Amino acid sequence: MISEFQTAEQLGLICRRRREALRLRIEDAALVTGANYRWISEMERGKATVQLGKVLHYASMLGIGLAVTLPEEMEHGEAPRQDGKDAAP
């Protein structure tokens, strides 16, 4: 199933619904994912300043995969470099 989101609140809600579907309390999710109760609570309520790496890990541990939709001009162009730097012009 594909569920698009545009905001931190929407992604937080997706994660919360998945956690609840797995019948995990926040305490249980904290044990399984290595995150703490407060962070999970804030993330699931849409706090915009949570760390991206932690969000990606938490979502992955819940079985949620995240994808990026690239603009058309990037679809056939050069892939981003692994070091995060732009290719030379």
Side-chain angles (χ1 to χ4, degrees), residues 4-83:
E4 293 186 14
F5 63 92
Q6 299 291 323
T7 67
E9 291 86 2
Q10 291 169 336
L11 178 57
L13 181 58
I14 290 167
C15 287
R16 187 180 87 216
R17 287 183 176 162
R18 174 63 177 160
R19 176 181 56 76
E20 290 172 345
L22 293 170
R23 297 184 184 272
L24 292 173
R25 298 172 303 146
I26 291 179
E27 295 89 342
D28 302 325
L31 288 173
V32 171
T33 65
N36 66 50
Y37 183 98
R38 180 177 175 178
W39 183 89
I40 292 172
S41 176
E42 289 175 347
M43 184 271 169
E44 290 184 353
R45 285 185 283 121
K47 183 176 180 182
T49 57
V50 293
Q51 294 178 1
L52 179 59
K54 288 183 178 182
V55 172
L56 295 173
H57 177 73
Y58 183 65
S60 175
M61 294 298 291
L62 293 175
I64 297 171
L66 301 177
V68 175
T69 303
L70 298 174
E72 262 187 59
E73 62 269 14
M74 289 184 70
E75 288 181 11
H76 303 291
E78 184 176 318
R81 292 173 34 164
Q82 292 296 321
D83 62 9

